[in-house]
């Protein structure tokens, strides 16, 4: 009987040989059988392993059962297997938790290996809080945890991104007197760095990183990667580069995700060095093709920094990827070339844009105007250098050497304060290139007169436009004349030019009408209310702020209308219908 029982319980061979051969019962047989059963009890660590890591036969049996249940049905096999995996994970965690609770309730004194088995089991089920509880019970039960046990719990807490658990493990290490051991210190700091970076607490993570550098604790790659990505995300590109370079000096390698985070953050912050590093690594080291949005951000960064090489490489890659090129790609390249003062190359880029059917929009021309809008003492020299480059290469720049480009150049010179010099260049530059002056050419210089409040030069230019070139003034010309006369002590001529603009069927811009309303209101001019009615008649929006401003400053006007108590309906009623005509 003992042989059959031992064979059914899979007793080892030596125990089966030790069993009595006779079928009779003796007084000693029950005691031997109880001792044998105690020896045959499965160790606790083995029970934990069987719960966490079931046999392959058991896993295959469950997988086959799931496959048979979904055969011929509408349920997807992959979804069914994933659901079964989640159910098994929850069941494994519940069984392991129940086994540990029963063991603790029974008052059994666990060994260090048994505690370690439970730690490994909870680590497999990703139960961070139970792992910390086991570690605490392990130290309270006299089984001193070692570096392996602390590292196991710290890694789980770091992967979970739960920094309080890392701090709690650190307190356990300090209470055990092993916190200052190099291996434990390294595991604690790196786990804390990873958990803070993963949970988005970047400021605290960087503070931990700074403390690690002070205590000569090397930061591992995963923590550094999370810190670099987090710093780049919040716009601290300089700090991200500092962490990245320090880690690279120690031989740490980073993946494409880290450099992509650096590139995106640097692109948002217009940080040239950070974007250039991320771009080089992603395109040349990892061989990646970036989205068009990242290319456009890089073009803006290169334009601001004047990095012609970066802008040119981005344009070439965009073209190689088959993306259509238009102004949004070439304008930053033009700006980068212009920022370095390479006017010959800049005009070649502009000529290429004109050959592709674009490059005449105000946004493109403002790139040239901004570069020539410099201090007045160097503005003329810079403008003459740009014109010399354009004139010298005129045969190969047929599309760029036109009046549109010259308009942008004289506009930059006029905005620098050199309105007299800009007015003179209207004769010399256009004649040298054989370009025709247009109303836009005069308007470019007149807008500079508005900035300098130079009414004298503005009136001379208007006379030359009408008498010499016999051109019809455009809306920009009239608008500039209104604004330049409006800022004079005697602003009556502003109303004359305003009526001339309307007489030619042009609607004044909202900003010009609003400026006239505010000017009249400030000096208690009754025409402020008339201008408001005129704006409504023209379909321009009268904002509550503008109406309140005119009402507040318009009290006690300097003049009252004669005769009828109502205000004139239009400005023409005040000036007379024949006050001005062109």
């Amino acid at each position: 009987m003992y042989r059959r029982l031992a064979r059914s319980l899979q007793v080892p061979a030596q125990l089966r040989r030790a069993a009595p051969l006779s079928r009779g019962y003796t007084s000693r047989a029950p005691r031997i059988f109880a001792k044998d059963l105690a020896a045959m009890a499965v160790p606790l660590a083995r029970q934990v392993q069987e719960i966490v890591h079931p046999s392959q036969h058991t896993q295959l049996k469950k997988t086959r059962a799931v496959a048979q249940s979904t055969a011929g049905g509408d349920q997807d096999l992959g979804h069914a297997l994933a659901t079964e995996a989640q159910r098994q994970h929850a069941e494994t965690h519940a069984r392991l938790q129940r086994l540990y609770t029963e063991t603790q309730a029974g008052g059994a004194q666990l060994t260090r290996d048994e505690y370690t088995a439970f730690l490994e089991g909870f680590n497999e089920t990703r139960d961070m809080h139970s792992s910390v509880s086991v570690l605490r019970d392990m130290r309270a039960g006299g089984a001193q945890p070692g570096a392996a046990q602390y590292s196991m719990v710290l890694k789980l807490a770091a992967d979970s991104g739960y920094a309080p658990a890392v701090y709690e493990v650190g307190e356990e290490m300090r209470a055990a007197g092993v916190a200052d051991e190099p291996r434990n210190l390294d595991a604690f700091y790196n786990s804390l760095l990873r958990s803070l970076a993963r949970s988005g607490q970047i400021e605290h993570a960087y503070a931990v990183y700074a403390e690690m550098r002070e205590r000569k604790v090397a930061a591992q790659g995963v923590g550094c990667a999370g810190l670099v990505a987090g710093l780049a995300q919040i716009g601290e590109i300089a700090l991200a580069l500092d962490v990245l370079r320090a880690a690279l000096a120690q031989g740490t390698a980073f993946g494409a995700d880290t450099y992509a985070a650096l590139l995106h953050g640097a692109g948002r912050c217009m940080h040239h060095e950070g974007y250039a590093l991320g771009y080089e690594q992603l395109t040349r080291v990892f061989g990646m093709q970036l989205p068009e949005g990242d290319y456009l951000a890089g073009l803006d960064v290169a334009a601001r920094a004047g990095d012609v090489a970066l802008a040119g490489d981005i344009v070439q890659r965009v073209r190689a990827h088959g993306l259509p090129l238009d102004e949004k790609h070439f304008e930053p390249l033009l700006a980068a070339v212009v920022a370095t003062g390479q006017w010959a190359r800049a005009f070649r880029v502009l000529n290429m844009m004109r050959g592709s059917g674009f490059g005449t929009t105000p946004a493109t021309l403002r790139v040239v105007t901004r570069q020539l809008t410099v201090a007045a003492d160097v503005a003329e020299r810079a403008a003459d250098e740009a014109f010399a480059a354009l004139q010298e290469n005129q045969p190969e720049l047929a599309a760029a050497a036109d009046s549109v480009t010259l308009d942008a150049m004289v506009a930059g010179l006029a905005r620098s304060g050199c309105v007299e010099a800009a007015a003179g260049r209207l004769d010399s530059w256009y004649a040298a290139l054989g370009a025709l002056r247009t109303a836009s050419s005069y308007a470019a210089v007149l807008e500079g007169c508005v900035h300098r409040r130079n009414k004298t030069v503005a009136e001379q230019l208007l006379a030359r436009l009408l008498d010499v070139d016999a051109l019809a003034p455009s809306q920009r010309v009239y608008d500039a004349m209104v604004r330049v006369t409006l800022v004079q002590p005697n602003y009556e001529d502003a109303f004359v030019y305003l009526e001339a603009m309307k007489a030619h069927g042009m609607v004044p811009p909202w900003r010009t009408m609003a400026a006239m309303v505010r000017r009249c209101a400030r000096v208690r001019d009754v025409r402020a209310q008339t201008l408001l009615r005129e704006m409504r008649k023209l379909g321009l929006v009268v904002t509550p702020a503008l109406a309140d401003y005119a009402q507040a400053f318009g009290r006690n006007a300097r003049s009252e209308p004669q005769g009828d108590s109502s205000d004139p309906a239009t400005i023409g009623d005040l000036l007379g219908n024949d006050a001005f005509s062109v």
Side-chain angles (χ1 to χ4, degrees):
M1 183 182 69
Y2 290 146
R3 277 200 194 92
R4 290 194 300 271
L5 180 60
R7 191 178 298 110
S8 64
L9 293 176
Q10 297 181 355
V11 180
Q14 59 271 22
L15 292 180
R16 291 200 301 269
R17 287 194 298 269
L21 299 177
S22 63
R23 296 179 178 269
Y25 294 93
T26 62
S27 59
R28 194 177 178 184
R31 291 194 297 271
I32 296 176
F33 182 63
K35 183 179 179 180
D36 294 340
L37 287 179
M40 290 184 294
V42 180
L44 186 59
R46 178 69 177 277
Q47 296 181 41
V48 174
Q49 290 295 325
E50 290 178 351
I51 292 175
V52 177
H53 300 290
S55 64
Q56 295 183 357
H57 175 72
T58 303
Q59 296 179 0
L60 183 61
K61 183 178 179 181
K62 293 181 178 180
T63 303
R64 187 181 294 112
V66 172
Q68 291 176 355
S69 63
T70 58
D74 297 334
Q75 188 178 7
D76 181 65
L77 178 60
H79 181 267
L81 290 175
T83 304
E84 178 63 20
Q86 294 178 357
R87 190 194 65 78
Q88 292 181 15
H89 182 273
E91 181 182 354
T92 300
H93 176 261
R95 290 178 59 192
L96 186 63
Q97 188 71 38
R98 183 168 58 252
L99 177 61
Y100 183 73
T101 303
E102 293 174 353
T103 304
Q104 292 295 102
Q109 186 69 26
L110 302 184
T111 63
R112 182 174 180 175
D113 292 339
E114 292 172 341
Y115 277 118
T116 303
F118 277 109
L119 284 176
E120 292 176 350
F122 287 123
N123 188 51
E124 288 289 335
T125 58
R126 316 305 293 172
D127 189 351
M128 176 188 56
H129 298 283
S130 296
S131 297
V132 176
S133 178
V134 171
L135 189 66
R136 190 186 306 113
D137 295 340
M138 185 178 182
R139 189 174 63 84
Q144 181 62 39
Q149 287 75 23
Y150 286 123
S151 299
M152 191 184 307
V153 182
L154 286 172
K155 182 179 182 301
L156 178 59
D159 292 340
S160 303
Y162 192 64
V166 181
Y167 282 114
E168 185 173 352
V169 176
E171 288 297 319
E172 290 293 326
M173 295 168 62
R174 185 188 60 79
V178 296
D180 293 332
E181 294 182 6
R183 185 174 179 180
N184 293 335
L185 193 65
D186 180 83
F188 169 72
Y189 270 115
N190 280 283
S191 299
L192 183 59
L193 179 64
R194 288 174 55 195
S195 62
L196 290 172
R198 182 162 295 185
S199 60
Q201 305 179 55
I202 306 302
E203 294 83 357
H204 297 295
Y206 186 77
V208 170
Y209 174 78
E211 186 176 345
M212 293 173 66
R213 297 183 67 172
E214 291 179 359
R215 302 191 65 172
K216 301 295 189 295
V217 178
Q220 297 176 359
V222 179
C224 284
L227 181 58
V228 170
L231 290 172
Q233 187 175 6
I234 64 176
E236 295 291 347
I237 309 300
L239 295 180
L241 288 175
D242 180 56
V243 175
L244 183 65
R245 291 195 182 98
L248 290 175
Q250 295 177 356
T252 304
F254 293 93
D257 294 341
T258 304
Y259 290 108
L262 178 64
L263 181 135
H264 295 156
R268 288 193 302 269
C269 300
M270 304 295 288
H271 195 283
H272 172 248
E273 188 178 1
Y275 185 91
L277 178 59
Y279 177 81
E280 181 180 3
Q281 292 291 323
L282 291 175
T283 57
R284 299 183 181 179
V285 177
F286 293 97
M288 295 177 56
Q289 176 181 348
L290 304 181
E292 187 179 8
D294 291 340
Y295 285 131
L296 293 177
L299 286 172
D300 292 338
V301 171
R304 173 170 292 189
D307 192 342
V308 181
L310 177 60
D313 186 73
I314 292 176
V315 171
Q316 291 178 2
R317 288 185 179 275
V318 171
R319 177 180 296 169
H321 295 330
L323 299 175
L325 294 175
D326 52 19
E327 290 179 332
K328 66 177 178 291
H329 300 102
F330 282 107
E331 283 177 9
L333 176 60
L334 177 63
V337 178
V338 167
T340 60
Q342 304 178 45
W343 286 105
R345 294 185 63 183
F347 288 128
R348 290 190 184 94
V349 174
L350 184 60
N351 188 74
M352 181 174 58
M353 295 174 65
R354 297 280 177 82
S356 300
F358 45 84
T360 59
T361 60
T364 303
L365 299 175
R366 277 196 295 268
V367 174
V368 179
T369 302
R370 282 196 301 266
Q371 185 62 25
L372 294 177
T373 306
V374 293
D377 54 343
V378 298
E380 289 191 53
R381 184 174 70 252
D384 289 336
E385 290 176 357
F387 177 76
L390 182 61
Q391 186 180 21
E392 181 180 355
N393 299 276
Q394 183 182 6
E396 59 180 291
L397 301 176
D402 57 1
S403 59
V404 179
T405 304
L406 293 177
D407 292 349
M409 295 173 63
V410 295
L413 184 59
R415 288 176 179 270
S416 300
C418 305
V419 289
E420 294 85 356
R425 299 307 191 276
L426 283 177
D427 292 329
S428 60
W429 283 0
Y430 289 78
L433 295 182
L436 296 177
R437 290 190 298 268
T438 63
S440 298
S441 306
Y442 285 97
V445 184
L446 285 172
E447 289 173 351
C449 295
V450 175
H451 287 280
R452 304 302 299 176
R453 301 189 175 190
N454 195 327
K455 181 184 177 184
T456 303
V457 175
E459 291 176 341
Q460 294 174 359
L461 289 172
L462 180 61
R464 189 194 304 181
L465 180 146
L466 294 172
D467 300 335
V468 178
D469 291 339
L471 298 173
S474 63
Q475 184 185 26
R476 287 180 59 195
V477 171
Y478 279 128
D479 181 59
M481 293 304 299
V482 171
R483 288 189 289 141
V484 75
T485 53
L486 190 63
V487 296
Q488 306 300 323
N490 184 2
Y491 58 91
E492 294 299 326
D493 288 345
F495 290 95
V496 177
Y497 292 117
L498 179 64
E499 288 303 309
M501 185 187 305
K502 293 190 295 182
H504 287 79
M506 304 173 188
V507 178
W510 183 91
R511 65 169 184 174
T512 302
M513 295 293 291
M516 295 186 70
V517 170
R518 288 191 291 266
R519 178 62 194 273
C520 292
R522 283 196 298 269
V523 297
R524 307 293 190 268
D525 192 337
V526 70
R527 289 175 291 187
Q529 296 297 328
T530 306
L531 285 167
L532 289 177
R533 287 194 293 271
E534 191 84 6
M535 292 178 66
R536 295 187 180 96
K537 182 179 179 181
L538 293 173
L540 301 176
V541 177
V542 178
T543 61
L546 183 61
D548 294 344
Y549 187 92
Q551 183 68 25
F553 286 91
R555 299 191 184 100
N556 301 322
R558 68 180 183 181
S559 61
E560 295 292 339
Q562 301 294 328
D564 189 4
S565 59
S566 60
D567 291 338
T570 63
I571 300 299
D573 296 335
L574 287 174
L575 298 176
N577 293 330
D578 299 331
F580 187 79
S581 61
V582 178

